[in-house]
């Protein structure tokens, strides 16, 4: 999923939060899901996708718990800092006021830089203090996942996290860079078929692959320069992509249902398939349920957070039902499913209305093109963080030219090498995606609980504590991660043989 962050600057209700979460998760991965779902056999694929939805929900509750604990530690540090300043007799009232303002504005950064600061203020009353102030764990400040890693991990863990996040974002950009030109190529060329070297138009020598490369070049020249700047307000852009996304997916589901009802469905999917075909579904589904790296931006503005777990549970049930419904209609409607599902609706048999043919064909072009600059800027910022050195500012050329080029060039090269969206989604989801979605949330919640108990009292449960409290769940998540990675690796190796 794309990390389309909500930056409206306003608080919103849990219902709006539910819609935001749904829109964040249901994106590019959903367009690649039907093909992988059909190849795995619909019975096994349904069981797999249900399990993957549950695992994603489980680790989402871990991230929410870590967000709450991070807020609590920041507040605790401020409280003790205030007490220290009030007890100090060496400062004037003006000095104390200035120090308090500095403490309030920079407590988060100070806490991240000095991991041992809390030790100075830890005492036997810590648990009592925290339990008497339940709002310590209220999620009011946005603590990004990278900041959580800095708070609970050492430098090595921080570097590993940013490497995984950077790889994931590179995969995101490569998927977008392939999906947009491929959709344009499909709309433009009037000769169907899987042969990329075939003519794009009858009577013309230019091939489909060359048309794809032309569109990819234009895509790079038009959207690439955005990485050199910053995108601030994207609220209306998000509204636009939200409407487009809902309209497109509903259109595809309704068109497939009508075709099946009218006896035009050509799909005869198998109930079961080989382990090789099922394995590919793991990577695609992991990518399709990804939202963890964007949770702080989604959760923090929610006005009432008392029932976040129920909100996410309902959202995941809704998304799971949507995915299964989308995939079922696809596999029973089409004998062959494209790696980008919108490409199936260029056929007059299923979609006789030209307007909808062009709309669905261009749907990835509009939505993914709108998200591409946001993802690129996010990747650039993370690259700068990964290679940052305290107290040593980088030259202007490296910051403003070097990092933007390092951001945009690798995914464009990948897009020139391959136009297989399914492979890119599977690869991105099964490796970097699995690490961000499973490994880091489970390790974060483990070290978060240890640190919270140490400074704020033993067994200090709060309203944002994950319902999966046992350490066995953390072990299970990591075992599951290994299984997913092994299966997807086996799939990729077997496909090459």
């Amino acid at each position: 999923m794309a990390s389309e962050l909500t930056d409206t600057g306003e608080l919103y209700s849990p219902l709006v939060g539910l819609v935001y979460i749904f829109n964040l998760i249901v994106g590019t991965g959903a367009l690649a899901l039907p093909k992988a779902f059909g190849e795995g056999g619909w019975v096994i694929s349904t069981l797999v996708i249900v399990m993957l939805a549950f695992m994603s929900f489980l680790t989402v509750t871990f991230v929410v718990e870590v967000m709450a604990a991070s807020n609590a530690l920041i507040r605790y540090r401020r409280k003790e800092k205030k007490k220290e300043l009030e007890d100090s007799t060496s400062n004037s009232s003006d000095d104390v006021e200035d120090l308090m303002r500095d403490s309030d504005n920079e407590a988060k950064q100070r806490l991240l830089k000095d991991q041992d600061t809390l030790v100075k203020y830890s005492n036997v009353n810590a648990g009592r203090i925290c339990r008497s102030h339940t709002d310590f764990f209220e999620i009011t400040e946005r603590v990004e996942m990278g900041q959580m890693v800095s708070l609970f991990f050492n430098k090595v863990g921080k570097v590993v996290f940013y490497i995984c996040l950077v790889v994931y974002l590179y995969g995101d950009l490569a998927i977008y860079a392939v999906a947009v030109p491929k959709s344009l190529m499909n709309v433009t060329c009037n000769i169907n078929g899987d042969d990329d070297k075939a003519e794009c138009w009858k009577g013309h020598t230019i091939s489909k692959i060359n048309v794809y490369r032309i569109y990819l070049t234009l895509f790079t020249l038009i959207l690439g320069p955005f990485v050199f700047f910053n995108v601030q307000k994207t609220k209306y852009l998000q509204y636009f992509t939200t409407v487009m996304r809902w309209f497109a997916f509903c259109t595809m589901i309704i068109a497939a249902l009508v075709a099946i009802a009218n006896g035009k469905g050509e799909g005869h999917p198998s109930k079961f398939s080989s382990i090789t075909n099922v394995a590919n579904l793991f990577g695609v589904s992991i990518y399709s349920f990804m939202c963890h790296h964007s949770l702080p931006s989604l959760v923090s503005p929610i006005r009432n957070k008392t029932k976040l777990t129920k909100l996410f549970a309902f959202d995941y049930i809704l998304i799971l039902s949507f995915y299964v419904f989308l995939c079922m209609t696809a596999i029973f409607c089409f004998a062959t499913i494209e790696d980008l599902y919108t490409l199936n609706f260029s056929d007059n048999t299923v979609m006789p209305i030209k307007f909808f043919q062009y709309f669905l064909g261009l749907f990835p072009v509009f939505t993914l093109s709108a998200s591409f600059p946001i993802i690129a800027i996010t990747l650039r910022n993370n690259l700068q963080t990964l290679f940052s050195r305290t107290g040593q500012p980088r030259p202007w050329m490296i910051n403003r030219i070097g990092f933007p080029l390092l951001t945009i060039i690798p995914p464009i090269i990948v897009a020139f090498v391959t136009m297989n969206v399914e492979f890119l989604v599977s690869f991105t989801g099964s490796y970097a995606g699995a690490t961000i979605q499973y490994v880091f949330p489970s390790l974060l919640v483990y070290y978060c609980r240890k640190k919270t108990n140490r400074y704020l009292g033993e067994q200090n449960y709060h309203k944002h504590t994950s319902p999966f409290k046992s350490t066995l769940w953390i072990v299970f998540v990591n075992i599951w991660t290994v299984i997913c990675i092994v299966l997807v690796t086996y799939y990729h190796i077997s496909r090459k043989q």
Side-chain angles (χ1 to χ4, degrees):
M1 289 339 40
S3 53
E4 298 173 39
L5 307 183
T6 58
D7 62 349
T8 61
E10 304 170 355
L11 294 175
Y12 47 74
S13 66
L15 179 61
V16 176
L18 184 147
V19 174
Y20 274 138
I21 295 165
F22 183 92
N23 291 334
L24 176 70
I25 297 177
V26 179
T28 317
L31 297 179
L33 195 58
K35 182 178 181 179
F37 187 93
E39 290 176 347
W42 65 268
V43 173
I44 296 297
S45 293
T46 302
L47 296 175
V48 169
I49 201 174
V50 168
M51 186 61 186
L52 287 164
F54 169 74
M55 295 300 296
S56 183
F57 165 72
L58 189 159
T59 51
V60 159
T61 64
F62 285 170
V63 175
V64 172
E65 179 178 339
V66 177
M67 288 171 58
S70 300
N71 274 260
L73 289 172
I74 291 169
R75 288 191 182 91
Y76 180 67
R77 197 263 180 194
R78 285 175 180 165
K79 183 180 179 68
E80 296 301 326
K81 184 68 175 178
K82 181 179 180 180
K83 183 186 298 184
E84 180 187 77
L85 293 173
E86 287 175 348
D87 293 342
S88 174
T89 58
S90 61
N91 295 306
S92 65
S93 59
D94 291 337
D95 292 335
V96 171
E97 184 178 349
D98 291 339
L99 288 170
M100 280 305 302
R101 189 183 300 111
D102 175 72
S103 176
D104 184 61
N105 292 337
E106 299 184 8
K108 189 187 306 182
Q109 288 75 14
R110 289 173 179 268
L111 185 61
L112 296 179
K113 291 178 181 178
D114 186 5
Q115 295 297 299
D116 296 325
T117 301
L118 286 172
V119 177
K120 181 177 180 180
Y121 309 110
S122 182
N123 53 62
V124 294
N125 295 321
R128 179 183 59 78
I129 291 173
C130 191
R131 282 190 290 273
S132 63
H133 295 78
T134 55
D135 62 336
F136 264 39
F137 288 91
E138 188 61 50
I139 304 173
T140 56
E141 295 195 35
R142 189 174 76 182
V143 183
E144 298 293 349
M145 204 166 177
Q147 294 174 303
M148 299 179 209
V149 169
S150 298
L151 183 58
F152 298 109
F153 287 177
N154 57 23
K155 290 183 180 180
V156 175
K158 181 181 176 180
V159 170
V160 173
F161 168 77
Y162 275 105
I163 290 174
C164 293
L165 183 59
V166 163
V167 171
Y168 176 80
L169 293 174
Y170 269 130
D172 248 357
L173 292 182
I175 292 166
Y176 286 23
V178 170
V180 172
K182 189 170 183 178
S183 298
L184 288 170
M185 178 196 73
N186 186 74
V187 171
T188 304
C189 298
N190 57 18
I191 296 181
N192 298 323
D194 297 329
D195 187 5
D196 298 332
K197 296 181 181 180
E199 293 179 348
C200 184
W201 303 282
K202 289 183 179 179
H204 293 77
T205 57
I206 185 170
S207 64
K208 295 171 68 175
I209 187 63
N210 286 331
V211 171
Y212 166 81
R213 289 167 179 163
I214 292 172
Y215 281 130
L216 177 56
T217 302
L218 292 174
F219 175 85
T220 305
L221 294 175
I222 294 172
L223 295 180
F226 281 96
V227 76
F228 293 90
F229 307 99
N230 288 314
V231 177
Q232 296 295 332
K233 298 297 182 180
T234 63
K235 178 171 68 173
Y236 297 107
L237 182 62
Q238 291 178 38
Y239 290 161
F240 169 74
T241 56
T242 296
V243 172
M244 291 280 288
R245 182 179 288 115
W246 279 83
F247 187 64
F249 279 109
C250 290
T251 301
M252 288 187 287
I253 291 173
I254 292 172
L257 282 174
V258 170
I260 293 171
N262 291 335
K264 297 180 181 178
E266 299 177 351
H268 301 284
S270 59
K271 294 181 180 180
F272 306 95
S273 185
S274 65
I275 186 65
T276 302
N277 291 333
V278 175
N280 186 44
L281 182 63
F282 281 81
V284 176
S285 297
I286 290 171
Y287 183 84
S288 300
F289 285 111
M290 173 65 78
C291 69
H292 300 61
H293 57 307
S294 297
L295 281 180
S297 299
L298 291 168
V299 171
S300 299
I302 296 178
R303 187 177 297 109
N304 183 2
K305 305 182 183 70
T306 55
K307 298 180 180 179
L308 277 180
T309 301
K310 292 182 180 179
L311 172 69
F312 277 107
F314 179 78
D315 221 336
Y316 267 87
I317 291 172
L318 180 65
I319 293 166
L320 173 63
S321 304
F322 178 83
Y323 279 168
V324 172
F325 198 41
L326 178 71
C327 293
M328 285 293 188
T329 55
I331 63 177
F332 282 98
C333 181
F334 299 101
T336 303
I337 301 177
E338 300 289 340
D339 58 351
L340 205 60
Y341 185 44
T342 50
L343 302 181
N344 280 90
F345 292 89
S346 59
D347 187 0
N348 291 329
T349 304
V350 177
M351 182 57 70
I353 304 175
K354 286 291 182 181
F355 170 78
F356 288 110
Q357 284 186 20
Y358 285 110
F359 170 76
L360 292 177
L362 295 173
F363 163 66
V365 177
F366 296 125
T367 56
L368 302 186
S369 296
S371 301
F372 186 87
I374 302 173
I375 306 297
I377 293 169
T378 303
L379 173 56
R380 184 201 65 195
N381 294 338
N382 280 282
L383 285 171
Q384 291 173 339
T385 303
L386 177 62
F387 293 105
S388 64
R389 300 182 65 180
T390 306
Q392 297 183 13
R394 287 183 294 265
W396 182 89
M397 283 292 293
I398 294 179
N399 259 343
R400 301 303 299 271
I401 305 296
F403 279 110
L405 290 177
L406 184 61
T407 298
I408 200 70
I409 290 176
I412 297 302
I413 291 175
V414 172
F416 271 105
V417 172
T418 179
M419 51 191 295
N420 190 333
V421 176
E422 184 189 22
F423 167 77
L424 292 173
V425 170
S426 177
F427 183 87
T428 303
S430 56
Y431 296 108
T435 306
I436 296 172
Q437 187 172 160
Y438 297 147
V439 177
F440 279 102
S442 62
L443 294 180
L444 275 172
V445 80
Y446 175 76
Y447 287 108
C448 155
R449 289 170 181 174
K450 290 183 64 176
K451 192 164 188 176
T452 305
N453 290 339
R454 181 182 177 188
Y455 297 123
L456 303 178
E458 292 289 336
Q459 303 300 322
N460 199 353
Y461 298 125
H462 49 88
K463 62 183 178 182
H464 295 305
T465 300
S466 170
F468 309 98
K469 300 182 181 71
S470 174
T471 306
L472 293 177
W473 283 110
I474 298 175
V475 175
F476 175 64
V477 168
N478 286 279
I479 293 174
W480 176 258
T481 305
V482 173
I483 292 173
C484 291
I485 292 175
V486 168
L487 285 174
V488 176
T489 302
Y490 170 75
Y491 167 80
H492 290 308
I493 294 175
S494 62
R495 286 287 296 267
K496 292 181 179 180
Q497 293 177 349

